[in-house]
Each structure stands twice: as C-alpha cells, then as structure tokens.
Amino acid sequence: MTPEDCMCLVKERQPEKEVDENGGLGPAHDGDEGGKVDGSNHLFLREAPILTEESRISKDYNCHDKKVGSREDLVLRKDMCKRGTKLSRRDRVELGCRFQRAVSSCDWELAWNLLVLAKAQALNDVLCIALDSVWFLTTREELNGITGLIKKIIGDGANDFTRAILRTSFLASCVSACQSKMMNLTDAVGVMTQRLHERLQECQGDEVLKVEASTKVQKFTEWALKCIRFHSRYQENRGRRRRNQSTIVEVQLQLSAFKTFLELAGDHLTGKDFTEAFDAACFPVALFSSSFDPGWASGISAIAVQGLLAMLVEGGADNVNQCFLEASRFGSTELVRILLQIAQRNSLDIDVDLALVFASHYCKIRTMECLVEEGNAANLLGPLVRASERGCMQVVQWFVNRGCGDMDLCLALIAATSSSHLGVSAYLLPQIPHHVLAAVSIEILKTVSERSRGSLNGVAFLLRSDFLGDPPATYAVADSIASSNDDVVAPELRAFLKEHWSEDAFAEGLSSGQDHYVNFMRILRRGSSPICLMDLPPPLVTAIVYMPLYRECTEAGGKLLPQKLRGKLVEAASRLGGRQVDNDSPAKELLAILEHHLPRHLLPL
C-alpha cells in the first residue's frame, strides 16, 4: 500500500451512517437486500467493504456472558416470531450474539434452530460469523458442523459473499500472524498501528485524513483480535489447552472449510472479489512482518495464509505482483517469501528485479537478501547505482559484500561522487582495482563533471584522493584534460583543471611562491614599520611568511594537493630546507619541512 493509497482510504468513500446495532453483522450498506458493495483499487488496505464495518463488527464477540441454550434463547425466538419475519436491528444483534455463542460452543442444534429466525440481511450476518469461525476449527466434527451451517445459510438465501470473503481473509491473516512466537495479542494492535503510522508518514496529504485512516485500521484490527480472544476463551472453557500454534491437521481442516465456502459461492464471487480478498489477507501480514520470528513463512503458522492466498489466486486474484512489490517496498520479508512461493507454484510473473529496487531504496536489507537468494534477482547494478546516488552506505556495502563487477563499481562511484556523497565515494574507491580506474579515468572525471550540475567538488575530491593510486598518473590525467581541445570536455571542467591541476598551474604556483618570498624580503629590509622584523626569532619570522600557506595546505585535505598549491609548497620547502627539493616530492614530506621550521605552539595538535 502506497502512502497515497492510505490517504485515498479516507477520501474515496466516507459512508455517513450510524453504527449498526447488529454488532458488526450488517453489511457495508444499509438495507436488507444483501447487495454487494464495490471496493476500491488500493493495495493491502481498502475502504470497502472490509474496513467500513469495523465499528459494527466487534460486538459479535462481546456477547458471551449468557449461557448458550438458556431460557433467554427460547424467549428471544418466541418474541421474534411474534413480530413476524422482518427483524429489527436490535433483533439482529440478539440473533447474531446467540448464533456466535452457539457456533463457538459447537452447539450445532441450537445454531440450526436460530437459523429459522434469520431472514434477509440477517442471513448475511450469520454467514460472516460462521465463515469467521472456520479459522478456529480443531476437529473433523467441528468441520462437518460449520460446513453444514454454511451450506444451510447459503441455501436459505445469504448472498453477500463479497463482504464475507473480505472480512474472513483479513481475520485469517491476523490469526496466523498472532501465532508467531514473537507476537502476542496484547502487543498486536500497537504493532500494527505503529507500522501503519510509519507508512502514513511518507504521505504528504492532509494530517486529518492520516489520522482517520489509522483509526479505521486500528479499530478493525481490534475486532480481529477480539475475535481471536473470544474463540480461544471458548476453547479453554471446553477443556482444551490453549496453544500458540495450530497443528498441520487443524490448518488442513480450516482450509478445507474455506474451500467449501468458495465452492458454494461459485460464480457469485468475481475476480475483483478475489483480488480484494487477496489484498485484505496480505495487509496484516505486511504490517506484522517486522515482528515475526525468522523463518515464520516456512512454519505451520504461515500455512493457513499460504493456502488461503493460493485459493484466492486460483479464484482469479490478479494482484500478486502488486502486493509483492509493496511488501518489498516496506520490508515485509515474510510476506515477500510467501508471495514468491505462490508465484512459483502457480507460474505467475512477478518482477523480482523491480522489487529489489524498492527494497534497496528503503534500505530493507533482510528483504533484499530474500529477493536475491530466494527470488534470484539478477539485476543488481540498478539498485547499487541508485543507492550510491542517494548516499545509502548500508545498502552500498551490502551490494559490495555480495560481489560486484569492477565496471559496476565504477558506475556506482560516478553516481555517488556526482551527488556529493563523498563518504560513499571514499568507501568505493579502494574496492576498484587501480588499473580499471586508469582505463576509464578520463571518462569518470568528465561524467562526474557533467552530472554534478555545475559543481566541481566531485572532480576535486577524486583528484585529491589520488583515485588512480599513483600521484604522477593522477596529475597526468588532470593535465591531459586541461590541455585537451576535445569539444566533449565541458569548458568549466577544462578551465578548473587548467587553473588548479595542470602542469601550468604547478609552474604558476612555483612562480607565485618565488614572488611571495621576494616581496617579504623587500619588506624585511626596506620596511619602515616600528616593529623590526629582523629582531624577531626565526620561527616567528617563518610563521609570518608561511603560516597562511601551511593552513591552506592542511585544510585542502586528501592525499594530493592541487598543482598550483603544490608549486607554492615546493618553493617554500626549498627555501626553508636550504636546497631544491624534488618537484615530485609527496605533499606529506613537504609539509613536514614547513612544520620543522614553524613554532610548535602554532601547529595543530
């Protein structure tokens, strides 16, 4: 789900109606005709119909204090029968509550008796309740009981299959997610709310709409967790020990019951229904994924979701790739792993390389590993270059550690340097063999200059870093570009290199250094200042002459100095050392000569 999708949650349809009194059993529309409600086209999270009934749905699981089959049930039946077949909202609330308790306690006789009272929309209500109970089956007797009820309900006229499949798909996903060893019901709502909040932060829309979207999801998640607690409590009341995970046999029973529902619904469920149900099932797993224990997707807890999604694909869901890309984008690794398996088993086309682009863009390292190792993503160059361009060191390091071609690393170096992410550039430089850099050095400097939008900081960084690992070779490349008449060389680059990094610049630096020395000696001998410089200690005199040059050199940084600055330094070192130093002497040695003659208290620590 993109951030924009989250905002559209609230914008697209705002059903203005009061909370239905049937405890969430009503459809996403008023009336008893049981018509379907059109859904939106958003990934993972939709306004209708699964999220428009959140405020009504939770009451199903709050009506558990009265004893099933009590005298009150008989009174209810008699009272409803006196009023006729048309049930009021209050009647539907009472009917739904008692039907829920009858199903949860496996009192099939009472459940069948209550169906006699269910007419029109009430049939759709009890269909949802019966179908939701599928994900808590533990025995074949329960399977036979619930499937018998579903057949009866549909046979009597229930027809809101869209609402039923959307709501139960969301619930099934929540049930599986809460079976993770690292998840518990107490933290589940907070985890999902936080994850949704993180997604909404990327959206630039109205803050009020963000809050409304988050509230809807939170309420519906709370309903799902109430449902899970309700069924767990009834299982404990029936003497069954509460387990954190279903067994493989139980999961098979649950999937068998859901398949029966799909067969009974038949053509009444459209491809759009299956697509939206697939979306609804993916949503909780996507948000809870960060809290799953490693390997959750290959455990029993995920089998129900895998089976559910597989049946939805068989029914006509066509948004596997969309959900896959969104799961990759948000780092929902376990969902990515499940969707990879579904795509492989059903021979579906999914864009693994594009998914890797999304995952790397948002720095989802675990998801990247899954896509490369299990999804066989092959195009690593694009994500590497983009990560370098953004300066995402963690992602760049991950790609480098996996192994990248030399030319791929050169392209990444160009991208990072052009974008002024020089920390990434400094990391990439040692990864590339010097002979490879030498072969494409001119192209690298030209391309960095072209892509830097008028800035030459990247070019200067590469030269200062001695990117060829050989000072004479690095200077020679800069000089060759500076003296080139090639029209493809930008005038700004040529002028910059000629002024600072060419042989002519070195000669100009030497000459400038000589002029500076001559000017100082004239001041020393002919100056009329009351301060007699000749009487100062020699280190102080040296500081007056060369301290500005020393600071300029140290502030330039890097392994190499610009030629013009290096020329001045060679002249100064020759004067202070009393001998002509080699023009190719390293800057470090030349600076050491200056430091030897400067007052120590003026030098950096």
Side-chain angles (χ1 to χ4, degrees), residues 197-347:
H197 176 74
E198 293 170 0
R199 295 193 182 189
L200 290 174
Q201 288 307 301
E202 298 181 10
C203 183
Q204 301 300 320
D206 191 331
E207 292 297 325
V208 175
L209 296 180
K210 291 182 184 181
V211 173
E212 290 183 15
S214 179
T215 301
K216 287 178 181 292
V217 175
Q218 182 174 346
K219 286 183 178 180
F220 203 72
T221 305
E222 289 172 350
W223 159 74
L225 300 180
K226 285 180 181 178
C227 179
I228 295 172
R229 292 192 190 96
F230 178 85
H231 283 276
S232 299
R233 185 161 50 245
Y234 260 91
Q235 288 179 347
E236 291 175 354
N237 292 341
R238 288 156 53 198
R240 296 187 178 178
R241 182 173 59 87
R242 185 174 181 178
R243 299 190 307 270
N244 188 50
Q245 290 187 337
S246 299
T247 65
I248 185 64
V249 174
E250 291 171 349
V251 171
Q252 290 173 345
L253 293 175
Q254 295 161 9
L255 293 175
S256 176
F258 183 70
K259 184 176 182 180
T260 299
F261 163 75
L262 295 181
E263 292 172 348
L264 291 171
D267 295 337
H268 294 289
L269 286 171
T270 66
K272 184 177 181 180
D273 294 333
F274 283 104
T275 296
E276 294 190 343
F278 191 94
D279 204 12
C282 286
F283 183 58
V285 178
L287 291 190
F288 284 135
S289 183
S290 61
S291 301
F292 289 162
D293 44 292
W296 177 88
S298 58
I300 295 177
S301 300
I303 293 178
V305 172
Q306 291 172 331
L308 169 66
L309 294 177
M311 282 189 273
L312 295 176
V313 170
E314 292 175 5
D318 60 2
N319 57 336
V320 177
N321 188 54
Q322 292 171 287
C323 292
F324 175 69
L325 294 177
E326 289 299 320
S328 301
R329 173 183 180 181
F330 291 107
S332 302
T333 306
E334 298 305 315
L335 179 57
V336 168
R337 187 170 282 118
I338 289 176
L339 295 179
L340 277 172
Q341 297 169 359
I342 290 175
Q344 292 167 359
R345 292 169 185 169
N346 293 274
S347 301

Side-chain angles (χ1 to χ4, degrees), residues 65-138:
D65 297 329
K66 300 177 182 179
K67 183 179 178 182
V68 176
S70 65
R71 181 175 177 276
E72 294 174 358
D73 293 305
L74 299 177
V75 172
L76 172 70
R77 277 180 274 177
K78 291 179 180 179
D79 185 48
M80 288 181 178
C81 289
K82 288 179 182 179
R83 300 180 210 165
T85 58
K86 181 75 173 180
L87 299 183
S88 67
R89 288 185 176 184
R90 187 177 187 84
D91 292 337
R92 286 165 58 190
V93 170
E94 295 301 320
L95 176 61
C97 288
R98 281 156 178 74
F99 183 79
Q100 175 66 73
R101 293 200 301 274
V103 170
S104 300
S105 60
C106 297
D107 190 338
W108 309 118
E109 180 180 0
L110 176 59
W112 276 71
N113 289 336
L114 291 172
L115 289 182
V116 176
L117 303 175
K119 304 296 181 182
Q121 188 53 44
L123 283 170
N124 291 321
D125 299 342
V126 295
L127 174 61
C128 287
I129 294 175
L131 188 58
D132 290 344
S133 301
V134 159
W135 309 109
F136 305 94
L137 297 178
T138 57

